Amino acid sequence: MINMNIIKKLFFLLLLSFAPAIVFAAQIGVSFDRNPVSQDESFQIIFTANDTPDNDPDFGPLEQDFEILGQSQSSNSSWINGKSSKTIQWTVNVMAKHPGSLIVPAVKFGDDVSQPASVLVTQATANKAVDADDDLFLEVDATPQSPYVQSQVLYAVRLYRRVEIAQASLSEPELGDAVIEKLGDDSNYNTQINGVNYLVTERKYAVFPQKSGSLTIKPLMLTAEVVANTRPNFNGFFNSQMTKTKKILSKSVTLEVKPAPATFTGKHWLSAEQLVLKEEWSGDNQQMKVGEPLTRTLTLLAKGTTVGQLPELNIGKIDEQLKTYPDQPALQEQKKPEGLIAFREEKIAVIPSKAGFYKLPAIEIPWFNSQSQKMEIAKIPETTITAIEAAGVQPDIAVPVAPTPVQQPQKIETTPIAQPQQQNIWLWVSVFLALGWLATLAYFLIKRPAKKPVVEKSEREIRLEDSVKSLKKACADNNAAAAKDALLAWGRQKFGATSLGAIAELSDARLRDEILNLNQVLYGKAVDQWQGKKLFQAFVENKAREKMAATDDDKLEPLYRL
């Protein structure tokens, strides 16, 4: 008779053999190159697996709501820190059969299955006023067309073509008093206009107008080499393609920029679509040890704004028994198809010098939600931390040092008078030392360097010094406009830069932050409240760092106050 224990063990081993297939099943996600899309436009559904799935995909279920135009597959493998990773992508080019919020159903990859996803398909665009001979034309639009100052405007340019292009160039959008950033790579898709198929190339920009009023984005110009449909001449060089140059202009776009609303009561105007403020500690802030640091990390993440518009976070006053050492802020921007995402991170080392309870003030960031058109406040509440005595730490006690006893003068014993031979030796030694001293004196008198002539300062150096003096006075008077003029004068002489943004890019992190803050203040509501002390201090530190970089590498760098 078969032992029941053996049967149980065999059954358990059989279960283990199936476990890897369950635990390590490939995870397959779904994304889109554009969302939403129009019914008459093609778009891409992208299936991404983190490992090789069980089998090839079956895209048949997609045909219920989508017309499949084509598909491709790619893979990518990497090895990081001793661990390998692999991703496989299937890109399916489709066109929706009807408008609505359509569901991309789960697609089977053998035993593995993708996650469902939804895409919004809008009604097909109404017939455009397109001439039958328009083989090539540009379309531009801006959303919204009535933004608030320093709010994000998505500016899109689309090139429609039904002819082959050998090469083409497109001018960049121009708008005075605005920050313009290109968003990601160009996207390509197909569409139909009046029953005619067109290939579309779309490029997006984020525009941030810096002053209110009516602002116009100038027309863009496309210069293209269009391939002619004529038969090539046999006398041509290797029957090369015949092309003709064509230039096309887009329409101009006018923005009606509104000033910051009167309902916004914050000192620092900040407009964004979404904003997140958070705090993290490197350890337990309720069990901090005296004399030992903990790092406090403050992070501000905003969608639909530039990193230059993000305010400083660590500005509150704290107890004198807490020593803080802030690091330079980390600033980043991500350019997504839906707009700009700005990131600011500040790390502060906190060291308590005495046991007890301490309070860090609340941090409040007022901001204007451009989606809801309302003012909101991102907040980190008041934080209480507890410091305790470190184990085994003894208070510093000054140990008196015993005075060094004064040595009594030794008794001088008389010695017999030296013999004549010893006296002659000491005589010659004295003569030799005297001659050496005279030779050294003569050498230094001969080699003494001549007095350096006074070098007159160049006109450029004089102008630089004058601009620095003007900046110092403007910062002392808290005159933002005069500080801007002085910075521009200094930047032209120093770098050949003609804008505050260009000067900021050529400066270190602290000076860059202060210049960008000055630029925001000039176009904001709190010009009269600007304080120039921090700007000039950062300016002086920047000059000091430049001098340090010019010194020899073998010299020790001085310690800087964090």
Side-chain angles (χ1 to χ4, degrees):
M1 187 174 180
I2 301 176
N3 193 326
M4 290 300 296
N5 289 332
I6 296 177
I7 295 176
K8 289 180 180 179
K9 290 180 181 179
L10 290 174
F11 181 72
F12 180 71
L13 291 175
L14 185 63
L15 287 176
L16 289 179
S17 66
F18 285 101
I22 299 173
V23 175
F24 299 106
Q27 301 295 320
I28 305 171
V30 180
S31 60
F32 309 94
D33 67 330
R34 292 176 297 116
N35 189 4
V37 296
S38 176
Q39 182 185 349
D40 56 359
E41 297 174 354
S42 66
F43 64 100
Q44 294 176 348
I45 306 175
I46 304 167
F47 297 85
T48 304
N50 63 351
D51 203 349
T52 303
D54 181 62
N55 208 334
D56 292 334
D58 176 16
F59 293 127
L62 298 179
E63 295 180 349
Q64 179 178 349
D65 294 317
F66 307 95
E67 179 185 353
I68 298 178
L69 305 177
Q71 65 183 66
S72 61
Q73 178 182 342
S74 63
S75 62
N76 180 43
S77 300
S78 61
W79 187 274
I80 301 175
N81 297 330
K83 294 183 179 180
S84 63
S85 62
K86 182 179 181 180
T87 58
I88 307 175
Q89 280 192 347
W90 290 263
T91 302
V92 185
N93 197 28
V94 301
M95 185 175 286
K97 294 181 178 180
H98 55 87
S101 182
L102 305 185
I103 301 297
V104 175
V107 172
K108 292 185 177 180
F109 292 70
D111 290 335
D112 297 325
V113 182
S114 68
Q115 299 294 323
S118 64
V119 58
L120 179 61
V121 179
T122 60
Q123 192 71 36
T125 307
N127 289 344
K128 299 181 180 180
V130 177
D131 195 308
D133 295 331
D134 282 344
D135 294 332
L136 197 67
F137 65 93
L138 290 173
E139 178 186 71
V140 292
D141 61 53
T143 307
Q145 288 196 337
S146 297
Y148 284 93
V149 64
Q150 293 185 348
S151 295
Q152 177 176 266
V153 176
L154 292 180
Y155 177 79
V157 53
R158 302 176 190 88
L159 168 62
Y160 292 80
R161 67 185 186 276
R162 56 179 183 178
V163 291
E164 184 180 355
I165 296 177
Q167 60 181 6
S169 63
L170 181 66
S171 63
E172 295 292 318
E174 296 181 15
L175 180 62
D177 295 308
V179 176
I180 302 177
E181 297 285 351
K182 184 177 180 294
L183 300 175
D185 297 327
D186 299 345
S187 59
N188 297 283
Y189 55 91
N190 296 294
T191 189
Q192 283 190 351
I193 301 177
N194 302 336
V196 179
N197 291 323
Y198 283 88
L199 177 62
V200 184
T201 299
E202 184 178 60
R203 181 176 296 178
K204 288 186 176 181
Y205 297 86
V207 180
F208 299 88
Q210 299 297 301
K211 72 175 185 179
S212 58
S214 182
L215 303 178
T216 300
I217 303 177
K218 298 179 181 179
L220 304 184
M221 174 177 283
L222 173 75
T223 304
E225 297 294 328
V226 180
V227 177
N229 293 325
T230 57
R231 183 186 299 273
N233 191 335
F234 288 101
N235 294 328
F237 184 73
F238 294 116
N239 293 335
S240 58
Q241 288 182 321
M242 301 290 292
T243 62
K244 61 179 180 180
T245 303
K246 196 170 184 179
K247 291 187 177 182
I248 300 172
L249 283 176
S250 71
K251 296 180 180 178
S252 60
V253 174
T254 300
L255 303 176
E256 298 298 335
V257 185
K258 295 177 287 189
T263 55
F264 186 83
T265 57
K267 294 182 179 180
H268 180 91
W269 167 251
L270 174 60
S271 175
E273 298 176 9
Q274 187 179 355
L275 188 138
V276 177
L277 175 65
K278 66 178 182 179
E279 169 194 52
E280 292 181 353
W281 288 84
S282 61
D284 186 2
N285 60 359
Q286 299 302 311
Q287 295 290 324
M288 293 184 68
K289 294 182 180 179
V290 173
E292 297 184 9
L294 276 187
T295 300
R296 185 192 195 194
T297 302
L298 301 174
T299 303
L300 185 62
L301 186 68
K303 180 181 178 182
T305 188
T306 63
V307 72
Q309 292 176 241
L310 301 184
E312 187 177 355
L313 305 177
N314 182 42
I315 57 176
K317 294 182 179 180
I318 62 173
D319 195 293
E320 294 181 354
Q321 299 297 330
L322 283 179
K323 304 298 181 183
T324 58
Y325 300 91
D327 199 356
Q328 290 191 4
L331 307 174
Q332 294 180 6
E333 282 183 352
Q334 292 183 359
K335 299 176 181 179
K336 301 290 186 179
E338 62 272 15
L340 215 61
I341 298 176
F343 170 87
R344 183 184 181 101
E345 181 185 77
E346 297 181 13
K347 290 182 178 291
I348 308 100
V350 181
I351 306 176
S353 57
K354 185 179 179 181
F357 299 94
Y358 301 94
K359 289 185 178 181
L360 300 179
I363 300 175
E364 294 185 353
I365 306 296
W367 64 289
F368 184 77
N369 190 325
S370 59
Q371 300 296 306
S372 64
Q373 303 284 293
K374 294 180 180 179
M375 174 181 167
E376 298 183 16
I377 297 179
K379 184 176 181 179
I380 294 177
E382 184 181 69
T383 304
T384 302
I385 62 177
T386 306
I388 59 177
E389 292 287 354
V393 175
Q394 298 293 333
D396 293 333
I397 302 176
V399 180
V401 181
T404 304
V406 180
Q407 295 184 354
Q408 298 294 329
Q410 296 181 355
K411 184 178 180 181
I412 301 176
E413 297 182 357
T414 58
T415 56
I417 299 174
Q419 297 297 325
Q421 184 178 2
Q422 291 176 331
Q423 291 178 350
N424 292 336
I425 292 175
W426 285 111
L427 177 63
W428 285 109
V429 170
S430 300
V431 171
F432 176 76
L433 292 175
L435 290 175
W437 181 83
L438 290 174
T440 304
L441 178 62
Y443 173 80
F444 280 108
L445 289 174
I446 295 172
K447 294 295 184 178
R448 184 173 60 183
K451 188 176 181 181
K452 294 183 179 180
V454 177
V455 179
E456 294 185 358
K457 294 181 179 179
S458 65
E459 184 179 352
R460 177 178 178 272
E461 291 174 333
I462 294 174
R463 287 199 297 266
L464 276 173
E465 290 182 357
D466 290 342
S467 60
V468 173
K469 292 178 182 178
S470 299
L471 178 62
K472 182 178 181 181
K473 184 178 186 304
C475 290
D477 297 339
N478 297 324
N479 189 333
K484 174 187 176 182
D485 295 338
L487 273 174
L488 290 175
W490 177 78
R492 281 192 293 267
Q493 297 297 323
K494 185 75 173 177
F495 308 115
T498 58
S499 67
L500 290 182
I503 297 173
E505 290 297 326
L506 298 170
S507 305
D508 67 5
R510 292 191 181 183
L511 180 56
R512 180 181 65 235
D513 283 356
E514 293 303 322
I515 293 175
L516 293 175
N517 178 57
L518 172 65
N519 193 47
Q520 294 164 18
V521 167
L522 289 168
Y523 297 107
K525 298 170 57 180
V527 180
D528 296 337
Q529 301 175 2
W530 179 73
Q531 300 292 319
K533 180 180 178 181
K534 293 179 68 176
L535 171 61
F536 193 72
Q537 182 180 356
F539 181 84
V540 172
E541 291 178 358
N542 183 75
K543 289 183 62 179
R545 290 189 182 93
E546 287 181 350
K547 291 181 180 179
M548 288 300 304
T551 57
D552 295 335
D553 294 336
D554 56 350
K555 293 183 180 180
L556 292 176
E557 296 183 358
L559 296 176
Y560 285 100
R561 176 179 59 83
L562 295 178

